[in-house]
Amino acid sequence: MRRTAVLYGAVPLALLLAGCGGGDDGAKPSGAPPAASATSAPARSAADPDAAEKAAVLAAYSSMSAEQAKAYGKADAKGTQLEKYATLDALGQIRNDLARMKAAGTVVRGGIGHDPKVTALDTAAKTPKATLTDCVDLSSYETYDTKAKKVIPLPTEQPLRYVMTVSAEKWPGGWMVTAINPQGGPTC
């Protein structure tokens, strides 16, 4: 159980620190035409006809992860927009982690690296689906005990770099993260 909370808590900071944003909700309108959104028809390129859809999936994942990082940094989802990027199943995973963190008196601190890639994309399905793999780097990650005012070390069996998988679906409002496998896979 501790490994799950530690690993899952690592995910959002990795994405936040990478600087991959999913848009700027505070941007001021300009006279220029609006940029294409994740819900508009994807642009097709000769090199990769799905490049725009893959970018939209990665942007949704990054945005969800940035909101998740805010929540894990204080062990509370208040003030976040997680519902905008994650389905009820994914939100359930996050809320369970937050409840465990709150009960334990822990928060997530430190920097985490990552390298997400869309590894499967089915845009022809009735509900388009995508799978991402993310190489998570925990070398600067910390679980901090707010009561004892100390860092809780990672379990000795915890690899500092591992592959994590994420599932997403394209809903009417854009791509949504549907599941995150916090257990991690092989090292990367």
Side-chain angles (χ1 to χ4, degrees):
M1 184 158 115
R2 181 173 177 218
R3 182 171 184 233
T4 300
V6 169
L7 291 175
Y8 199 71
V11 175
L13 290 177
L15 299 170
L16 176 67
L17 295 175
C20 298
D24 184 359
D25 290 357
K28 295 181 181 170
S30 68
S37 70
T39 58
S40 64
R44 300 285 180 181
S45 73
D48 183 356
D50 293 321
E53 287 296 339
K54 289 177 181 178
V57 172
L58 290 169
Y61 175 55
S62 178
S63 295
M64 191 262 340
S65 296
E67 294 302 309
Q68 190 179 17
K70 291 178 197 175
Y72 283 34
K74 58 186 180 177
D76 193 340
K78 289 180 184 155
T80 69
Q81 295 182 8
L82 284 164
E83 295 86 6
K84 189 173 178 179
Y85 307 105
T87 65
L88 287 178
D89 288 342
L91 284 171
Q93 289 178 294
I94 294 167
R95 288 179 179 140
N96 286 339
D97 262 353
L98 291 171
R100 282 191 295 271
M101 291 170 68
K102 189 168 273 198
T106 60
V107 295
V108 171
R109 302 188 325 180
I112 300 168
H114 77 104
D115 185 18
K117 291 179 177 31
V118 177
T119 53
L121 182 65
D122 182 0
T123 58
K126 183 175 181 179
T127 301
K129 298 179 182 338
T131 301
L132 294 87
T133 57
D134 190 359
C135 180
V136 177
D137 181 353
L138 302 178
S139 58
S140 298
Y141 167 84
E142 294 179 338
T143 299
Y144 185 73
D145 184 329
T146 60
K147 296 173 187 172
K149 306 282 188 227
K150 67 177 186 175
V151 174
I152 299 170
L154 288 171
T156 55
E157 70 277 3
Q158 171 64 54
L160 292 181
R161 293 173 53 91
Y162 66 92
V163 176
M164 182 184 72
T165 58
V166 177
S167 300
E169 292 180 351
K170 188 172 185 181
W171 288 21
W175 285 95
M176 301 281 289
V177 173
T178 58
I180 301 168
N181 179 358
Q183 297 302 319
T187 59
C188 54

